């Protein structure tokens, strides 16, 4: 017996299967492995961003399920992540509008958005959360503790110097200052870093 996430349960030892996996099982395992490998380095961000969606499971598990269902392209075995459909947060906070992503200086990404403070649940003090992924380096950069406010309509992220010349994927969301409520993140574009 054990307890997980406040749920008491009993389990038996698993039995090894003697049957070969079906094609559907192989495809599902490949998708699951691809998604968990992608999300694992940002698990703390995903757990926070999906916390409001998680009931009886972790935010990471909910995000994994969402991505397996909608953010994979290609035909097995040539599966890949569809970056335009990746979501690292999901919530009721008013989202981002009119996003423009540029790289104005070496190893920098600048994101501008429309200040929609006061629209729906959006407040001027909501904090921007930027996620950047460099596929060539398999490396993430994100700001969870020092983002710009919604009313500033701009965030500049300094990247490692070795990101210069690489193409990166950029996502953006807002969160309340207490990190309890998030907007649903959006893909803010793919750019080449100066």
């Amino acid at each position: 017996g054990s307890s997980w996430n406040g749920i008491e349960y009993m389990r038996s030892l698993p039995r090894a299967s003697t049957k070969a996996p079906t094609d559907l099982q192989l495809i599902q395992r490949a998708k699951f492995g691809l998604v968990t490998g992608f999300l694992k380095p940002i698990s703390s961000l995903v757990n926070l961003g999906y916390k409001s969606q998680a009931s009886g499971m972790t935010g990471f598990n909910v995000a994994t399920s969402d991505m397996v269902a909608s953010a994979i392209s290609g035909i097995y075995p040539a599966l890949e992540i569809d970056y335009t459909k990746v979501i690292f947060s999901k919530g009721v906070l008013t989202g981002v509008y009119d996003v423009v992503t540029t790289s104005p200086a070496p190893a920098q990404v600048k994101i501008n958005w429309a200040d929609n403070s006061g629209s729906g649940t959006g407040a001027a003090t909501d904090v921007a959360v930027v996620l950047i992924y460099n596929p060539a380096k398999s490396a993430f950069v994100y700001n969870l503790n020092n983002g710009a406010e919604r009313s500033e309509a701009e965030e500049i992220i300094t990247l490692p110097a070795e990101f210069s010349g690489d193409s990166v994927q950029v996502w953006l969301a807002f969160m309340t200052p207490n990190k309890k409520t998030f907007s649903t993140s959006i893909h803010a574009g793919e750019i080449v870093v100066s």
Side-chain angles (χ1 to χ4, degrees), residues 49 68 113 123 144 163:
V68 166
W113 58 85
L144 193 56
F163 276 35

Side-chain angles (χ1 to χ4, degrees), residues 32-41 140:
F32 184 78
L34 182 64
V35 169
T36 54
F38 179 78
L39 291 178
K40 193 170 185 180
F140 287 95

Side-chain angles (χ1 to χ4, degrees), residues 60-77:
F60 184 89
N61 289 348
V62 179
T64 299
S65 178
D66 278 1
M67 275 190 65
V68 166
S70 64
I72 295 178
S73 62
I75 298 171
Y76 178 80

Side-chain angles (χ1 to χ4, degrees), residues 66-67 70-73 81-87 171 187:
D66 278 1
M67 275 190 65
S70 64
I72 295 178
S73 62
I81 302 289
D82 181 345
Y83 299 120
T84 64
K85 295 181 180 170
V86 169
I87 297 175
W171 295 269
H187 184 253

Side-chain angles (χ1 to χ4, degrees), residues 52 91-93 121 174-183:
S52 67
V92 297
L93 196 61
T121 56
F174 288 121
M175 68 178 176
T176 53
N178 64 5
K179 300 180 183 176
K180 291 194 174 178
T181 307
F182 278 74
S183 70

Side-chain angles (χ1 to χ4, degrees), residues 120-139:
T121 56
T125 56
D126 292 335
V127 179
V129 181
V130 177
L131 173 65
I132 298 172
Y133 178 62
N134 182 334
K137 307 270 191 297
S138 296

Side-chain angles (χ1 to χ4, degrees), residues 1-190:
S2 190
S3 172
W4 179 81
N5 242 9
I7 301 168
E8 304 292 331
Y9 67 93
M10 294 287 292
R11 64 181 179 182
S12 63
L13 291 173
R15 284 183 278 181
S17 176
T18 57
K19 291 191 273 182
T22 65
D23 287 346
L24 282 176
Q25 287 173 322
L26 289 172
I27 292 168
Q28 196 64 14
R29 288 175 189 174
K31 287 181 177 182
F32 184 78
L34 182 64
V35 169
T36 54
F38 179 78
L39 291 178
K40 193 170 185 180
I42 56 167
S43 59
S44 58
L45 173 63
V46 172
N47 272 321
L48 202 56
Y50 264 84
K51 190 172 187 174
S52 67
Q53 306 298 309
S55 177
M57 58 175 39
T58 66
F60 184 89
N61 289 348
V62 179
T64 299
S65 178
D66 278 1
M67 275 190 65
V68 166
S70 64
I72 295 178
S73 62
I75 298 171
Y76 178 80
L79 300 172
E80 55 189 35
I81 302 289
D82 181 345
Y83 299 120
T84 64
K85 295 181 180 170
V86 169
I87 297 175
F88 69 83
S89 69
K90 204 176 216 184
V92 297
L93 196 61
T94 297
V96 184
Y97 299 103
D98 298 329
V99 178
V100 177
T101 306
T102 58
S103 182
Q108 275 191 352
V109 169
K110 179 180 177 184
I111 302 156
N112 292 91
W113 58 85
D115 175 13
N116 58 349
S117 302
S119 171
T121 56
T125 56
D126 292 335
V127 179
V129 181
V130 177
L131 173 65
I132 298 172
Y133 178 62
N134 182 334
K137 307 270 191 297
S138 296
F140 287 95
V141 172
Y142 63 91
N143 66 331
L144 193 56
N145 297 312
N146 56 354
E149 293 186 344
R150 186 190 295 261
S151 59
E152 293 177 62
E154 177 181 289
E155 176 77 47
I156 296 175
I157 303 289
T158 301
L159 301 171
E162 59 268 17
F163 276 35
S164 286
D166 289 349
S167 181
V168 297
Q169 302 291 331
V170 183
W171 295 269
L172 176 64
F174 288 121
M175 68 178 176
T176 53
N178 64 5
K179 300 180 183 176
K180 291 194 174 178
T181 307
F182 278 74
S183 70
T184 299
S185 63
I186 65 158
H187 184 253
E190 175 181 359

